[in-house]
């Protein structure tokens, strides 16, 4: 397992996605890399936008590469938020009637093989597994 | 992220090159806000050199579509890669958008 801890600010997006995709090695194909990057962006930006309100807090990202999957854990000490409880957007509605939000978490769910959330010692721990 | 815009008569072609993510989507949003929706008939988005898009980019596409539709205009999206096409399908946007794959 390797980890980084960064300020949860948008300017760190590239640091976070580079760190996570950097664990893939050169063999990972473009599509897998794209999808993993998308997942990381959506989860990290969500933390940046909502976890700490107006304040700046930390986000810790742990990556474990297993033989058949990659596991990415996002940990923050912000307010309690379970992304899995957020309702999915209505993807059948005509676009004129759609709200602008909710797509990021929705795509994260679709592109991951397993997601889990726990609130532990004042921390949000969101764990994503994606099969290689 | 590089954005280029070509305007002829009532048609606008916007070409996006690079990565459309949380950091670069505001640039694209600015271009969209500069469009005169009362005058424009069709906006074509050329995604030939778009390497990556996240929900922040999709949101700007959605806003562009809504603005055009409300004034009777059209949106065309061309040269869409397989991976980006999957995102349009996954989000149900492909059912309503005029998309040509690469």
């Amino acid at each position: 397992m390797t980890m980084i801890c960064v300020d949860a600010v948008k300017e760190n997006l590239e640091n976070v996605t580079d760190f996570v995709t950097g664990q893939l090695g050169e063999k990972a194909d473009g599509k897998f890399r794209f999808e993993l990057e998308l997942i990381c962006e959506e989860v990290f930006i969500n933390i940046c936008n909502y976890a700490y309100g107006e304040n700046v807090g930390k986000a810790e990202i742990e990556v474990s590469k297993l033989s058949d999957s990659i596991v990415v854990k996002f940990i923050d000490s912000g307010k309690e938020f379970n992304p899995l409880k957020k309702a999915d957007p209505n993807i059948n509605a005509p676009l004129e009637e759609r709200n602008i939000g909710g797509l990021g978490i929705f795509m994260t769910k679709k592109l991951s093989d397993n997601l889990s959330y726990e609130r532990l010692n004042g921390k949000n721990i969101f764990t994503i597994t994606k099969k290689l | 992220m590089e954005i280029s815009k070509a305007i002829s008569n009532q048609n606008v072609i916007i070409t996006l090159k690079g990565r459309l993510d949380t950091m670069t989507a505001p640039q694209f949003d600015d271009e969209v806000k500069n469009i005169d929706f009362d005058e424009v008939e069709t906006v074509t988005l050329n995604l030939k050199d778009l390497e990556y898009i996240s929900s922040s980019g999709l949101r700007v596409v959605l806003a562009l579509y809504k603005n055009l539709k409300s004034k009777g205009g059209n949106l065309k999206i061309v040269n869409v890669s397989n991976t980006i096409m999957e995102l349009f399908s996954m989000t149900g946007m492909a059912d309503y958008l005029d998309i040509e794959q690469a």
Side-chain angles (χ1 to χ4, degrees), chain B residues 11-71:
Chain B
N11 300 312
V12 177
I13 301 173
I14 298 176
T15 304
L16 302 175
K17 187 176 178 182
R19 302 170 51 84
L20 187 53
D21 62 11
T22 303
M23 300 308 286
T24 58
Q27 255 176 273
F28 178 35
D29 196 39
D30 286 345
E31 286 296 340
V32 167
K33 283 181 179 142
N34 278 331
I35 295 171
D36 182 353
F37 290 100
D38 288 319
E39 294 296 322
V40 163
E41 270 174 23
T42 303
V43 173
T44 304
L45 284 184
N46 183 356
L47 305 189
K48 181 172 164 286
D49 294 311
L50 188 67
E51 294 157 15
Y52 175 87
I53 188 169
S54 67
S55 67
S56 9
L58 292 178
R59 273 197 287 275
V60 183
V61 174
L62 185 59
L64 172 59
Y65 174 89
K66 283 183 173 182
N67 281 326
L68 279 165
K69 281 287 156 184
S70 69
K71 301 278 185 182

Coordinates of all heavy atoms in Angstrom, one line a residue, chain B residues 11-71:
Chain B
N11 N -23.4 29.1 -37.9 CA -22.8 27.9 -37.3 C -21.5 28.1 -36.6 O -20.7 28.9 -37.0 CB -22.6 26.8 -38.4 CG -23.9 26.5 -39.1 OD1 -24.9 26.2 -38.5 ND2 -23.9 26.6 -40.5
V12 N -21.4 27.4 -35.5 CA -20.2 27.6 -34.7 C -19.6 26.2 -34.5 O -20.3 25.2 -34.2 CB -20.5 28.1 -33.3 CG1 -19.2 28.2 -32.4 CG2 -21.1 29.5 -33.4
I13 N -18.3 26.1 -34.8 CA -17.6 24.8 -34.5 C -16.6 25.0 -33.4 O -15.7 25.9 -33.5 CB -16.9 24.3 -35.8 CG1 -17.9 24.1 -36.9 CG2 -16.1 23.0 -35.5 CD1 -17.2 23.7 -38.2
I14 N -16.7 24.2 -32.3 CA -15.8 24.3 -31.2 C -15.0 23.0 -31.2 O -15.6 21.9 -31.1 CB -16.5 24.6 -29.9 CG1 -17.3 25.9 -29.9 CG2 -15.6 24.6 -28.7 CD1 -18.2 26.1 -28.7
T15 N -13.7 23.2 -31.2 CA -12.8 22.0 -31.1 C -12.1 22.0 -29.8 O -11.5 23.0 -29.4 CB -11.8 22.1 -32.3 OG1 -12.5 22.2 -33.5 CG2 -10.9 20.8 -32.3
L16 N -12.3 20.9 -29.1 CA -11.7 20.7 -27.8 C -10.5 19.8 -27.9 O -10.6 18.7 -28.4 CB -12.7 20.1 -26.8 CG -14.0 21.0 -26.6 CD1 -14.9 20.2 -25.7 CD2 -13.7 22.3 -26.0
K17 N -9.3 20.2 -27.3 CA -8.1 19.4 -27.4 C -7.5 19.2 -26.0 O -7.3 20.2 -25.3 CB -7.1 20.1 -28.3 CG -5.9 19.2 -28.7 CD -5.0 20.0 -29.7 CE -3.8 19.1 -29.9 NZ -2.9 19.8 -30.8
G18 N -7.3 18.0 -25.6 CA -6.7 17.7 -24.3 C -7.6 17.2 -23.3 O -8.4 16.3 -23.6
R19 N -7.6 17.8 -22.1 CA -8.4 17.2 -21.0 C -9.5 18.2 -20.5 O -9.1 19.3 -20.2 CB -7.4 16.9 -19.8 CG -6.3 16.0 -20.2 CD -5.3 15.9 -19.1 NE -6.0 15.7 -17.8 CZ -6.3 14.5 -17.4 NH1 -6.0 13.4 -18.1 NH2 -6.9 14.4 -16.2
L20 N -10.7 17.7 -20.5 CA -11.8 18.5 -20.0 C -12.2 18.0 -18.6 O -13.0 17.1 -18.5 CB -13.0 18.5 -21.0 CG -14.2 19.4 -20.8 CD1 -13.7 20.8 -20.6 CD2 -15.1 19.2 -21.9
D21 N -11.5 18.6 -17.6 CA -11.8 18.2 -16.2 C -12.2 19.3 -15.4 O -12.5 20.4 -15.9 CB -10.5 17.5 -15.7 CG -9.3 18.4 -15.6 OD1 -9.5 19.7 -15.8 OD2 -8.2 17.9 -15.4
T22 N -12.2 19.1 -14.1 CA -12.7 20.2 -13.2 C -11.9 21.5 -13.3 O -12.5 22.6 -13.2 CB -12.6 19.7 -11.7 OG1 -13.3 18.5 -11.6 CG2 -13.1 20.7 -10.7
M23 N -10.6 21.4 -13.6 CA -9.8 22.6 -13.7 C -9.9 23.3 -15.0 O -9.8 24.5 -15.1 CB -8.3 22.2 -13.5 CG -8.0 21.5 -12.2 SD -8.6 22.5 -10.8 CE -7.4 23.9 -10.8
T24 N -10.3 22.5 -16.1 CA -10.3 23.2 -17.4 C -11.8 23.5 -17.9 O -12.0 24.3 -18.8 CB -9.6 22.3 -18.5 OG1 -10.2 21.0 -18.5 CG2 -8.1 22.2 -18.2
A25 N -12.8 22.8 -17.2 CA -14.2 23.0 -17.7 C -14.6 24.5 -17.6 O -15.3 24.9 -18.5 CB -15.1 22.2 -16.8
P26 N -14.1 25.3 -16.7 CA -14.5 26.7 -16.7 C -14.1 27.5 -17.9 O -14.8 28.4 -18.4 CB -13.8 27.3 -15.5 CG -13.6 26.1 -14.5 CD -13.4 25.0 -15.4
Q27 N -13.0 27.1 -18.6 CA -12.5 27.7 -19.8 C -13.6 27.4 -20.9 O -13.9 28.3 -21.7 CB -11.3 26.9 -20.3 CG -10.0 27.7 -20.2 CD -8.9 26.7 -20.6 OE1 -8.4 25.9 -19.8 NE2 -8.5 26.7 -21.9
F28 N -14.0 26.2 -21.0 CA -15.0 25.7 -22.0 C -16.3 26.4 -21.7 O -17.0 26.9 -22.6 CB -15.2 24.2 -21.9 CG -16.2 23.6 -22.8 CD1 -16.5 24.2 -24.1 CD2 -16.9 22.5 -22.4 CE1 -17.4 23.6 -24.9 CE2 -17.8 21.9 -23.3 CZ -18.1 22.5 -24.5
D29 N -16.7 26.5 -20.4 CA -17.9 27.2 -20.0 C -17.9 28.7 -20.4 O -18.9 29.2 -20.9 CB -18.0 27.1 -18.4 CG -19.4 27.4 -18.0 OD1 -20.4 27.0 -18.7 OD2 -19.6 28.1 -16.9
D30 N -16.7 29.3 -20.3 CA -16.6 30.7 -20.8 C -16.9 30.8 -22.3 O -17.6 31.8 -22.7 CB -15.2 31.3 -20.5 CG -15.0 31.6 -19.0 OD1 -16.0 31.6 -18.3 OD2 -13.8 31.7 -18.6
E31 N -16.4 29.9 -23.0 CA -16.6 29.9 -24.5 C -18.1 29.7 -24.8 O -18.7 30.4 -25.7 CB -15.9 28.7 -25.2 CG -14.4 28.9 -25.3 CD -14.0 30.1 -26.2 OE1 -14.9 30.6 -27.0 OE2 -12.9 30.6 -26.1
V32 N -18.7 28.8 -24.0 CA -20.2 28.6 -24.2 C -21.0 29.9 -23.9 O -21.9 30.3 -24.6 CB -20.6 27.4 -23.3 CG1 -22.2 27.3 -23.3 CG2 -20.1 26.1 -23.9
K33 N -20.6 30.5 -22.8 CA -21.3 31.8 -22.4 C -21.1 32.9 -23.4 O -22.0 33.8 -23.5 CB -20.8 32.2 -21.0 CG -21.4 31.3 -19.9 CD -21.0 31.8 -18.6 CE -21.6 30.9 -17.5 NZ -20.7 30.6 -16.4
N34 N -20.1 32.8 -24.2 CA -19.8 33.8 -25.2 C -20.7 33.6 -26.5 O -20.7 34.5 -27.4 CB -18.4 33.9 -25.7 CG -17.6 34.7 -24.7 OD1 -18.1 35.6 -24.0 ND2 -16.3 34.3 -24.5
I35 N -21.3 32.5 -26.6 CA -22.1 32.2 -27.8 C -23.4 33.1 -27.8 O -24.1 33.2 -26.8 CB -22.5 30.7 -27.9 CG1 -21.2 29.9 -28.1 CG2 -23.5 30.4 -29.0 CD1 -21.4 28.4 -27.9
D36 N -23.7 33.6 -28.9 CA -25.0 34.4 -29.0 C -26.1 33.4 -29.4 O -26.3 33.1 -30.6 CB -24.8 35.5 -30.1 CG -26.0 36.4 -30.2 OD1 -27.1 36.0 -29.6 OD2 -26.0 37.4 -30.9
F37 N -26.8 32.9 -28.5 CA -27.8 31.9 -28.7 C -29.0 32.4 -29.5 O -29.7 31.6 -30.1 CB -28.2 31.2 -27.4 CG -27.1 30.3 -26.8 CD1 -26.3 30.8 -25.8 CD2 -26.9 29.1 -27.3 CE1 -25.3 30.0 -25.2 CE2 -25.8 28.3 -26.8 CZ -25.1 28.8 -25.7
D38 N -29.2 33.7 -29.6 CA -30.2 34.2 -30.4 C -29.9 34.1 -31.9 O -30.8 34.0 -32.7 CB -30.5 35.7 -30.1 CG -31.2 35.8 -28.7 OD1 -32.1 34.9 -28.5 OD2 -30.8 36.7 -27.9
E39 N -28.6 34.1 -32.2 CA -28.2 34.1 -33.6 C -27.8 32.7 -34.1 O -28.0 32.4 -35.3 CB -26.9 35.0 -33.8 CG -27.2 36.5 -33.5 CD -28.2 37.1 -34.5 OE1 -28.1 36.7 -35.7 OE2 -29.0 37.9 -34.1
V40 N -27.3 31.9 -33.3 CA -26.6 30.6 -33.7 C -27.7 29.5 -34.0 O -28.7 29.4 -33.3 CB -25.7 30.1 -32.6 CG1 -25.3 28.6 -32.8 CG2 -24.4 31.0 -32.6
E41 N -27.5 28.8 -35.1 CA -28.4 27.7 -35.4 C -27.8 26.4 -34.9 O -28.5 25.6 -34.3 CB -28.6 27.6 -36.9 CG -29.8 28.4 -37.4 CD -29.9 28.4 -38.9 OE1 -29.3 27.5 -39.6 OE2 -30.5 29.4 -39.4
T42 N -26.6 26.1 -35.2 CA -25.9 24.9 -34.9 C -24.6 25.1 -34.2 O -23.8 25.8 -34.8 CB -25.8 24.0 -36.1 OG1 -27.0 23.8 -36.7 CG2 -25.2 22.6 -35.7
V43 N -24.4 24.4 -33.1 CA -23.0 24.3 -32.6 C -22.5 22.9 -32.8 O -23.2 21.9 -32.4 CB -23.0 24.7 -31.1 CG1 -21.6 24.4 -30.5 CG2 -23.4 26.2 -30.9
T44 N -21.4 22.8 -33.4 CA -20.7 21.5 -33.5 C -19.5 21.4 -32.6 O -18.7 22.3 -32.6 CB -20.3 21.3 -35.0 OG1 -21.4 21.5 -35.9 CG2 -19.7 19.9 -35.2
L45 N -19.5 20.4 -31.8 CA -18.4 20.1 -30.9 C -17.6 19.0 -31.5 O -18.0 17.9 -31.7 CB -18.9 19.6 -29.5 CG -19.5 20.6 -28.5 CD1 -19.7 19.8 -27.2 CD2 -18.5 21.7 -28.2
N46 N -16.3 19.4 -31.8 CA -15.4 18.4 -32.4 C -14.5 17.9 -31.3 O -13.7 18.6 -30.7 CB -14.6 19.0 -33.5 CG -13.7 18.0 -34.2 OD1 -13.6 16.9 -33.8 ND2 -13.0 18.5 -35.2
L47 N -14.7 16.6 -31.0 CA -14.0 16.0 -29.8 C -12.8 15.1 -30.3 O -12.3 14.2 -29.5 CB -14.9 15.2 -28.9 CG -16.2 15.9 -28.4 CD1 -16.9 15.1 -27.4 CD2 -15.8 17.3 -27.8
K48 N -12.4 15.3 -31.5 CA -11.3 14.4 -32.1 C -10.1 14.3 -31.2 O -9.6 13.2 -31.0 CB -10.9 15.0 -33.5 CG -9.9 14.1 -34.2 CD -9.7 14.7 -35.6 CE -8.5 14.1 -36.3 NZ -7.3 14.8 -35.7
D49 N -9.7 15.4 -30.7 CA -8.4 15.4 -29.8 C -8.7 15.5 -28.4 O -7.9 15.9 -27.6 CB -7.5 16.5 -30.3 CG -7.0 16.2 -31.7 OD1 -6.6 15.1 -32.0 OD2 -7.1 17.1 -32.6
L50 N -10.0 15.2 -28.0 CA -10.3 15.2 -26.5 C -9.9 13.9 -25.9 O -10.3 12.9 -26.3 CB -11.8 15.5 -26.3 CG -12.2 15.7 -24.9 CD1 -11.6 17.1 -24.4 CD2 -13.7 15.7 -24.7
E51 N -8.9 14.0 -25.0 CA -8.4 12.8 -24.4 C -9.2 12.3 -23.2 O -9.1 11.1 -22.8 CB -6.9 13.0 -23.9 CG -6.0 13.3 -25.1 CD -4.7 14.1 -24.6 OE1 -4.5 14.2 -23.4 OE2 -4.1 14.6 -25.5
Y52 N -9.8 13.3 -22.5 CA -10.4 12.9 -21.2 C -11.6 13.9 -20.9 O -11.5 15.1 -21.3 CB -9.4 13.1 -20.1 CG -9.8 12.9 -18.7 CD1 -9.9 11.6 -18.1 CD2 -10.2 14.0 -18.0 CE1 -10.3 11.5 -16.8 CE2 -10.6 13.9 -16.6 CZ -10.7 12.6 -16.1 OH -11.1 12.4 -14.8
I53 N -12.6 13.4 -20.3 CA -13.7 14.2 -19.9 C -14.3 13.7 -18.6 O -14.3 12.5 -18.4 CB -14.8 14.4 -21.0 CG1 -15.9 15.4 -20.6 CG2 -15.5 13.0 -21.2 CD1 -16.8 15.7 -21.7
S54 N -14.6 14.6 -17.6 CA -15.2 14.1 -16.4 C -16.6 14.8 -16.3 O -17.1 15.4 -17.2 CB -14.4 14.6 -15.2 OG -14.4 16.0 -15.1
S55 N -17.3 14.6 -15.1 CA -18.6 15.1 -15.0 C -18.7 16.6 -15.2 O -19.7 17.2 -15.6 CB -19.2 14.7 -13.7 OG -18.6 15.3 -12.6
S56 N -17.6 17.3 -14.8 CA -17.6 18.8 -15.0 C -17.7 19.2 -16.4 O -18.3 20.2 -16.8 CB -16.4 19.5 -14.3 OG -15.5 18.6 -13.8
G57 N -17.0 18.4 -17.3 CA -17.1 18.6 -18.7 C -18.5 18.3 -19.3 O -19.0 19.0 -20.1
L58 N -19.0 17.2 -18.8 CA -20.4 16.8 -19.3 C -21.4 17.8 -18.9 O -22.4 18.0 -19.6 CB -20.7 15.4 -18.7 CG -19.9 14.2 -19.2 CD1 -20.4 12.9 -18.4 CD2 -20.0 14.0 -20.7
R59 N -21.2 18.4 -17.7 CA -22.2 19.4 -17.2 C -22.2 20.6 -18.2 O -23.2 21.2 -18.4 CB -21.8 19.9 -15.8 CG -22.4 19.0 -14.8 CD -22.4 19.8 -13.4 NE -21.1 19.8 -12.9 CZ -20.5 18.8 -12.1 NH1 -21.2 17.7 -11.9 NH2 -19.3 18.9 -11.6
V60 N -21.0 21.0 -18.7 CA -21.0 22.2 -19.6 C -21.7 21.8 -21.0 O -22.4 22.6 -21.6 CB -19.5 22.7 -19.9 CG1 -19.5 23.9 -20.8 CG2 -18.8 23.0 -18.6
V61 N -21.4 20.5 -21.4 CA -22.1 20.0 -22.6 C -23.6 20.1 -22.4 O -24.4 20.6 -23.3 CB -21.7 18.6 -23.0 CG1 -22.5 18.1 -24.2 CG2 -20.2 18.5 -23.3
L62 N -24.1 19.7 -21.2 CA -25.5 19.7 -20.9 C -26.1 21.1 -20.9 O -27.1 21.4 -21.5 CB -25.7 19.0 -19.6 CG -27.1 18.8 -19.1 CD1 -27.9 18.0 -20.0 CD2 -27.1 18.2 -17.7
A63 N -25.3 22.0 -20.3 CA -25.7 23.5 -20.3 C -25.8 24.0 -21.7 O -26.7 24.8 -22.0 CB -24.8 24.3 -19.4
L64 N -24.8 23.7 -22.5 CA -24.8 24.1 -23.9 C -26.0 23.6 -24.7 O -26.7 24.4 -25.4 CB -23.5 23.6 -24.6 CG -23.4 23.8 -26.1 CD1 -23.4 25.3 -26.5 CD2 -22.0 23.2 -26.6
Y65 N -26.3 22.4 -24.5 CA -27.5 21.8 -25.1 C -28.8 22.5 -24.7 O -29.6 22.9 -25.5 CB -27.6 20.3 -24.8 CG -28.8 19.6 -25.2 CD1 -28.9 19.0 -26.5 CD2 -30.0 19.5 -24.4 CE1 -30.0 18.3 -26.9 CE2 -31.1 18.9 -24.9 CZ -31.1 18.3 -26.1 OH -32.3 17.7 -26.5
K66 N -28.9 22.7 -23.4 CA -30.1 23.4 -22.9 C -30.3 24.8 -23.4 O -31.3 25.2 -23.8 CB -30.0 23.5 -21.3 CG -30.4 22.2 -20.6 CD -30.3 22.4 -19.1 CE -30.8 21.2 -18.4 NZ -30.9 21.4 -16.9
N67 N -29.1 25.5 -23.5 CA -29.2 26.9 -24.0 C -29.6 26.9 -25.5 O -30.4 27.7 -25.9 CB -27.8 27.6 -23.9 CG -27.5 28.1 -22.5 OD1 -28.4 28.5 -21.8 ND2 -26.3 28.0 -22.1
L68 N -29.0 26.0 -26.2 CA -29.4 25.9 -27.7 C -30.8 25.6 -27.9 O -31.5 26.2 -28.7 CB -28.5 24.9 -28.4 CG -27.1 25.3 -28.7 CD1 -26.2 24.1 -29.1 CD2 -27.1 26.3 -29.9
K69 N -31.3 24.5 -27.2 CA -32.7 24.1 -27.3 C -33.7 25.1 -27.0 O -34.7 25.3 -27.7 CB -32.9 22.8 -26.5 CG -32.4 21.5 -27.1 CD -33.2 21.1 -28.2 CE -32.3 20.2 -29.1 NZ -33.0 19.8 -30.4
S70 N -33.4 25.9 -26.0 CA -34.3 26.9 -25.5 C -34.5 28.0 -26.6 O -35.5 28.7 -26.6 CB -33.9 27.5 -24.2 OG -32.7 28.3 -24.3
K71 N -33.5 28.1 -27.5 CA -33.6 29.1 -28.6 C -33.8 28.5 -29.9 O -33.6 29.1 -31.0 CB -32.4 30.0 -28.6 CG -32.1 30.7 -27.3 CD -32.9 32.0 -27.2 CE -32.5 32.8 -25.9 NZ -33.3 34.0 -25.8

